[in-house]
Amino acid sequence: MTDDGERGLPGKGLINGLAVTLRTMTRKTTTQQYPDVEPELPPRSRGVIALLEENCTVCMLCARECPDWCIYIDSHKEEVVVPGAARARQRNVLDRFDIDYALCMYCGICVEVCPFDALHWTPEFEYAETDVLSLLHDKDRLGEWMRTVPPPPAHDVLGEPSKEEATAARKAAGPGAATAAKTARPAAVRREPRQESDK
Amino acid sequence: MPLWLDLLVRVVAVMVAFLVLPLVVGQAEHKVMAHMQGRVGPMYAGAFHGWAQLVADGVKFVQKEDVHPHGADRTVFRLAPIVALFPYLLVVLTIPLGPHGLVAQRLDIGLFLVLAILGFGVVAVLMSAWASANKYSLLGGLRGAAQLLGYELPLVLAAASVAMAAGTLSLPGIVEAWRPWWLIWQAPAGLVFFVAGLAEIRRPPFDMPIADSELVFGYMTEYTGLRFAFFLLAEYVGIVVIAALTTVLFLGGWHGPFADQLGWLWTLLKVFALSFVIIWFRVSYPRLREDQLQRLCWLVLVPVSLAQLVLTVAVKSLT
């Protein structure tokens, strides 16, 4: 009608447009009936961060690394008398471990940095609140979410062996034996990746 | 059957058709549009696939507060939705459903009356636009007026072609005179009538007067509640009316297998098929710009309908 360019038959675009909508109508819809049907989340979904309180040693690494400073930790020291030991040991006891999810930006640095696996990602996402102040969750609430943490994924058969396996294999082979990368994977697919880092 | 009972049955039948058919088309629009966009549409109201969504909408509209803009001309403002809705009710009166006088009011000048009444829509648009005291309403109303006046011409010319072919202005008469080969003979007029009809009821892609991305909601911006519901109802009745008129004039109305018994079914089927096409167009095509709108009308539809008139006369005088 208006612009007769190099588009073939006039009205072809109009027909194509109708065809696209008609084809879409015959296909299955992509709507998820969310409140009625639980969504199928991809593996390793990052919903919220859960705390395994027993693993926490109050090392404060997570609170220091947090870019938003949204982790609040309080603790006190406790004396533990070990029978047979020369003197009583001191132990950190966690009093408070809060994460303010109003500030959290879900970067996951705290999970990465925790040396004792006290923090875990869980796919749980239904923790919306009507008040922004209610998004400050204490260690009991964070601990409840531990139930929703999925088991860790199986080890990648093509990947490097874990540090523990490599060390154990090296110790078993005795000093001067082959490096970990050779012993742990006899049928090597890749040839000795990064030997120096494994020593 | 006494006269009063006869009248009562006809009026009630027309009112039922007037209230039920638009709801069916509206619900179909919700569902068809949703599925064409990969969604499922309303699912909750009425428990089964949201069949009661428009009923729920109606209840919601009734409960809303009756708001007038501060500077509005109240009388005209209140009257406009009625003026928009009422002509369609009169048009439904004259549309034949089946053979043997299955029509609410058989009129010898049916086509003339229908076209005259459809032209009344522009008054409602201008009334609501001016009375709203809102610049967006006014812009939308003026666009609407330009569009409606422009598209009136191809609409009337296309209808005139089929009236000349049938030799009558009566709508049942036109259907009786219709023959299957008219589908080819009157095809250009049918297309022009359908497209111009779409523009007459301001359906997308001809919804420049409403154009929600630039004019808020055009001449309907200031309307809420029941008055807005009337405008919406008018739009859906408009779909039914344009589909029905195209059916009656160009697709042979009740003609089909077992037309004597199932004529009404054929008419309804054709009306719903055309309504589906109208919804389909809405989903598929972007809105025409104002200048494209006028170009389509004056440079394509009017010449085509004039050529169709010549063709009609030529074929008519040869046979």
Side-chain angles (χ1 to χ4, degrees):
Chain A
M1 174 190 59
T2 44
D3 48 340
D4 35 344
E6 56 293 323
R7 276 191 298 167
L9 283 172
K12 188 162 171 285
L14 295 178
I15 301 293
N16 284 348
L18 289 176
V20 165
T21 43
L22 197 65
R23 219 179 302 132
T24 312
M25 192 176 75
T26 56
R27 293 219 183 106
K28 204 170 161 5
T29 56
T30 53
T31 305
Q32 295 198 6
Q33 298 291 346
Y34 157 57
D36 300 332
V37 182
E38 285 294 309
E40 281 186 21
L41 296 173
R44 283 182 284 154
S45 286
R46 295 169 155 212
V48 72
I49 294 163
L51 169 73
L52 186 59
E53 202 185 325
E54 292 78 21
N55 280 5
C56 181
T57 60
V58 202
C59 67
M60 303 292 287
L61 279 178
C62 50
R64 286 183 208 185
E65 293 293 332
C66 178
D68 296 342
W69 294 90
C70 68
I71 302 179
Y72 308 100
I73 300 177
D74 276 340
S75 68
H76 67 268
K77 289 197 190 299
E78 199 178 70
E79 297 234 315
V80 183
V81 181
V82 183
R87 53 189 169 92
R89 299 281 171 84
Q90 280 202 327
R91 185 167 79 91
N92 286 324
V93 178
L94 191 62
D95 292 329
R96 174 184 181 223
F97 191 104
D98 295 353
I99 297 182
D100 191 348
Y101 283 103
L103 294 179
C104 176
M105 61 182 195
Y106 301 89
C107 61
I109 289 177
C110 53
V111 180
E112 292 290 321
V113 84
C114 180
F116 304 107
D117 280 349
L119 293 171
H120 299 267
W121 278 113
T122 116
E124 175 66 32
F125 59 94
E126 288 171 317
Y127 55 99
E129 300 282 349
T130 49
D131 185 2
V132 72
L133 297 178
S134 318
L135 281 169
L136 182 71
H137 292 310
D138 60 4
K139 64 183 188 334
D140 295 331
R141 182 81 194 271
L142 298 176
E144 279 170 33
W145 278 322
M146 272 311 293
R147 284 185 289 112
T148 60
V149 175
H155 191 70
D156 184 359
V157 286
L158 297 181
E160 284 180 24
S162 66
K163 280 261 164 40
E164 295 83 350
E165 275 180 326
T167 316
R170 199 171 58 218
K171 278 182 179 163
T179 54
K182 282 179 187 162
T183 50
R185 284 187 301 106
V189 179
R190 282 172 288 167
R191 289 194 46 197
E192 294 160 16
R194 301 189 359 241
Q195 276 191 336
E196 50 277 45
S197 68
D198 278 339
K199 277 172 194 159
Chain B
M1 210 175 341
L3 181 64
W4 65 269
L5 187 62
D6 187 56
L7 275 178
L8 190 71
V9 169
R10 281 163 192 270
V11 168
V12 167
V14 165
M15 277 311 287
V16 167
F18 183 72
L19 292 177
V20 170
L21 287 180
L23 289 189
V24 174
V25 170
Q27 183 69 19
E29 174 167 49
H30 274 319
K31 286 310 232 184
V32 168
M33 194 156 77
H35 280 277
M36 281 182 169
Q37 296 165 343
R39 303 181 284 120
V40 291
M43 290 296 278
Y44 283 89
F48 180 75
H49 284 262
W51 66 269
Q53 182 60 46
L54 289 181
V55 181
D57 283 348
V59 172
K60 183 195 75 176
F61 278 133
V62 169
Q63 291 170 341
K64 283 201 171 184
E65 190 187 353
D66 189 15
V67 182
H68 296 88
H70 185 64
D73 185 338
R74 290 198 166 209
T75 325
V76 182
F77 187 79
R78 284 180 189 168
L79 211 55
I82 312 291
V83 177
L85 193 56
F86 199 64
Y88 292 122
L89 181 61
L90 291 180
V91 173
V92 175
L93 268 178
T94 64
I95 289 172
L97 195 57
H100 316 303
L102 190 54
V103 51
Q105 185 58 53
R106 198 184 170 107
L107 279 176
D108 285 344
I109 54 158
L111 183 59
F112 181 77
L113 180 82
V114 163
L115 292 176
I117 289 177
L118 278 185
F120 213 67
V122 66
V123 180
V125 170
L126 281 178
M127 279 169 74
S128 56
W130 185 255
S132 292
N134 178 322
K135 58 190 171 204
Y136 296 113
S137 293
L138 190 58
L139 280 172
L142 291 180
R143 282 181 183 185
Q147 173 177 334
L148 291 181
L149 290 178
Y151 278 87
E152 196 81 3
L153 190 58
L155 191 80
V156 171
L157 288 175
S161 160
V162 80
M164 280 163 60
T168 172
L169 279 174
S170 153
L171 290 176
I174 289 175
V175 181
E176 271 160 28
W178 187 83
R179 294 289 170 269
W181 65 277
W182 286 23
L183 276 180
I184 299 163
W185 179 29
Q186 299 293 338
L191 279 176
V192 169
F193 186 88
F194 190 60
V195 172
L198 276 183
E200 280 291 306
I201 54 174
R202 280 95 58 194
R203 282 291 293 182
F206 303 105
D207 59 341
M208 202 65 204
I210 296 167
D212 47 7
S213 51
E214 48 198 87
L215 289 185
V216 191
F217 217 56
Y219 53 91
M220 288 187 260
T221 301
E222 295 290 357
Y223 283 89
T224 57
L226 209 52
R227 300 185 209 288
F228 181 67
F230 277 0
F231 270 119
L232 276 193
L233 186 62
E235 181 176 340
Y236 289 116
V237 186
I239 297 177
V240 174
V241 162
I242 289 301
L245 282 179
T246 313
T247 302
V248 165
L249 295 177
F250 296 98
L251 299 183
W254 64 72
H255 287 291
F258 309 107
D260 270 353
Q261 291 86 36
L262 294 176
W264 57 274
L265 186 64
W266 287 113
T267 310
L268 280 182
L269 275 181
K270 290 171 184 175
V271 168
F272 282 128
L274 282 177
S275 305
F276 174 79
V277 173
I278 293 177
I279 297 166
W280 193 9
F281 279 6
R282 172 180 179 178
V283 184
S284 303
Y285 295 145
R287 182 184 304 129
L288 262 69
R289 222 166 45 213
E290 185 65 33
D291 62 317
Q292 293 169 333
L293 200 85
Q294 297 294 343
R295 279 174 71 92
L296 176 68
C297 176
W298 295 103
L299 297 184
V300 179
L301 297 186
V302 170
V304 168
S305 54
L306 285 174
Q308 171 71 48
L309 276 182
V310 175
L311 179 72
T312 306
V313 171
V315 174
K316 186 85 174 166
S317 54
L318 286 178
T319 52

